[in-house]
Amino acid sequence: MSATRAVVVGGGIGGLASGVALARAGWDVTVLERAPSLEPVGAGIAVAPNAVRALGALGLGDRLRDLSALQGEVGLRRPDGRWLVRENATAASERFGDQTLVLHRAQLVGMLADALPDGALRLGVDAAVVDPGDAGRPARVRVRTDVGPEGSGSRTPAHGRESGADSKESFDSDHSPAGGGTPGGASGSDEEIEAALVVAADGIDSPTRRRWWPDAPGPVSGGSTAWRLVAEVPPGEPVGPVGGETWGRGIVVGIVPLADGRVYSYASVTDAAGVPATFAELRERLADWHAPIPDLLASVDPDHVLCHELRQLPAPPASLVTGRVALVGDAAHAMLPNVGQGGCQALEDAVVLGVRVGGGANGAAVPELLRRWSGERRPRVVKVMRMSAQMAGMSRVVSPAATTARDLGARLAGPWSAALGAWALRGVLGWRPPEPGTVAAFDDDA
């Protein structure tokens, strides 16, 4: 076993970022992804200030400067268009020292893949951890090639909707198009890799977590179904639509201008509000909502809209580490999308891992270094998960009385809403990457 050999299972945001972070720290990295290519799947993603800093620590600062930040007015509205909370996006970003960037998920995945060393990314392979290792022996990863066309991942067109059991992509996740496999799967040629460190970034349905963390809770329903799309700016919006969210009775619609001039939009409907069976039904439900929502939904082909049930992990495993294996991203802490931190926390996982487990570490020390990394990361992601769940609960209100009370409270808060929101998010968006050589700090202020 090479003392600096690291294997990453999964080529989504968390896996690619982990590969980049470890390579920059001196590890000999291999990233294993089941999909035969990194197809431009997914929709938009908001890269919050904490994730902007994480990407900067991965050496992508120059490329980030070429992207557009969220600008203009943002906030929360009612279906009739009346503002409940309103603020300038630039002013909001200044509170946290960096702006929020919005781009297509495929663009972020491409940036991370390009930052890997040549030859580090292997596509079209099925990987499974067959031994997590310990201080005295390496971890072992079985790699099977020729996994067939089923390795390309899947997308559910929005004519209908897929069940939570089959959903493969979290609304705000770091999910790989096709993560790790299980021993004894499809036929193909096998090899086995020994590694001093393995990162499992194989998504919310992580086979690695299921096998080596048997007591960890599995995914549960988030109580809503989401549709996501990327579209051109509707006619009548010459300078682009105003960003923000609109909350109705158990329905949330978000509109976010992308860096490339298009618009990322999402709509989620809570189960209690009655989930539309098709995208056409969703269009009908929102036909009288404020502009440009009806025109935006009417402008897209349903085949280009993603639809899935929102799911989450109720809690991370008690430890994010077993032996020489670390869980990152959705495999560790899949959360609801309501504070926009799923992919952002995966980026943080990767950056902190690269700092805490430097390539110069003694091979026998890796399991202990990983345990310290888990002790640093787990308290923080638990708090972000709870914050996301609390925000989701507010958005799922369906009764007229409760909806009126919620909206009235938001409107009356008015001038104080931005300050209160900044206070609540300060520990999340204000995060900064640790410096190499510093002592791990356990997060008590997320």
Side-chain angles (χ1 to χ4, degrees):
M1 174 192 70
S2 168
T4 59
R5 183 71 182 272
V7 172
V8 180
V9 179
I13 291 172
L16 294 171
S18 296
V20 174
L22 292 171
R24 289 173 63 85
W27 287 85
D28 176 13
V29 175
T30 300
V31 179
L32 304 171
E33 167 54 45
R34 196 170 187 231
S37 62
L38 296 181
E39 297 290 344
V41 297
I45 184 170
V47 182
N50 55 316
V52 170
R53 297 186 196 100
L55 290 169
L58 296 177
L60 297 175
D62 289 341
R63 295 192 65 176
L64 293 177
R65 280 191 284 272
D66 296 332
L67 300 177
S68 297
L70 190 62
Q71 297 178 0
E73 291 179 318
V74 295
L76 181 64
R77 291 199 267 186
R78 301 190 322 185
D80 62 7
R82 183 173 181 178
W83 286 97
L84 299 173
V85 179
R86 191 176 192 176
E87 188 179 21
N88 180 274
T90 302
S93 297
E94 287 174 352
R95 290 191 177 93
F96 305 105
D98 285 283
Q99 293 183 313
T100 296
L101 306 177
V102 187
L103 61 159
H104 197 285
R105 183 176 301 273
Q107 188 176 3
L108 177 57
V109 168
M111 291 171 58
L112 291 167
D114 289 345
L116 286 170
D118 291 342
L121 178 60
R122 292 181 58 184
L123 299 171
V125 296
D126 184 56
V129 178
V130 295
D131 183 352
D134 59 23
R137 71 179 193 281
R140 292 185 294 118
V141 179
R142 188 226 58 210
V143 181
R144 173 169 289 131
T145 58
D146 303 323
V147 297
E150 71 273 13
S152 61
S154 64
R155 171 176 69 84
T156 296
H159 298 300
R161 57 192 179 94
E162 67 184 26
S163 70
D166 295 329
S167 177
K168 297 296 183 185
E169 188 169 19
S170 174
F171 183 58
D172 183 56
S173 70
D174 68 296
H175 177 66
S176 162
T182 54
S187 63
S189 58
D190 287 4
E191 63 175 302
E192 202 167 89
I193 301 175
E194 292 187 347
L197 168 62
V198 175
V199 178
D202 46 357
I204 188 172
D205 293 303
S206 170
T208 308
R209 186 189 65 242
R210 289 200 305 266
R211 184 176 188 194
W212 298 108
W213 281 261
D215 297 327
V220 297
S221 172
S224 299
T225 295
W227 289 259
R228 296 181 301 145
L229 58 96
V230 173
E232 301 298 327
V233 175
E237 297 281 349
V239 296
V242 175
E245 286 192 335
T246 301
W247 286 15
R249 293 174 54 189
I251 303 177
V252 174
V253 176
I255 297 177
V256 187
L258 293 176
D260 63 8
R262 294 181 296 169
V263 178
Y264 166 47
S265 184
Y266 53 87
S268 65
V269 181
T270 185
D271 295 349
V275 176
T278 66
F279 186 59
E281 290 185 19
L282 178 70
R283 285 170 166 167
E284 293 177 6
R285 182 87 65 93
L286 302 177
D288 61 350
W289 283 40
H290 68 79
I293 292 171
D295 288 343
L296 188 64
L297 298 183
S299 71
V300 295
D301 183 339
D303 285 341
H304 297 158
V305 179
L306 301 178
C307 176
H308 53 271
E309 181 187 41
L310 296 182
R311 296 187 298 156
Q312 63 177 326
L313 292 178
S319 172
L320 306 184
V321 169
T322 183
R324 295 177 177 272
V325 181
L327 295 172
V328 303
D330 279 1
H333 46 72
M335 62 188 70
L336 295 176
N338 298 78
V339 293
Q341 281 290 310
C344 297
Q345 289 302 307
L347 291 169
E348 285 191 19
D349 287 345
V351 169
V352 178
L353 183 65
V355 171
R356 301 307 183 200
V357 190
N362 183 301
V366 168
E368 177 59 29
L369 293 174
L370 289 177
R371 282 192 290 271
R372 295 179 186 177
W373 167 84
S374 175
E376 181 176 2
R377 289 298 302 159
R378 189 181 185 279
R380 176 167 172 80
V381 297
V382 164
K383 293 178 180 179
V384 179
M385 291 172 77
R386 289 174 180 167
M387 186 179 295
S388 299
Q390 290 167 356
M391 186 66 71
M394 294 174 60
S395 71
R396 289 198 296 260
V397 171
V398 295
S399 78
T403 302
T404 299
R406 179 197 67 194
D407 293 352
L408 179 61
R411 192 170 73 250
L412 291 176
W416 300 282
S417 294
L420 290 172
W423 181 85
L425 291 170
R426 73 194 190 286
V428 177
L429 304 186
W431 175 89
R432 295 184 180 278
E435 295 292 335
T438 58
V439 177
F442 293 90
D443 191 292
D444 289 321
D445 192 33

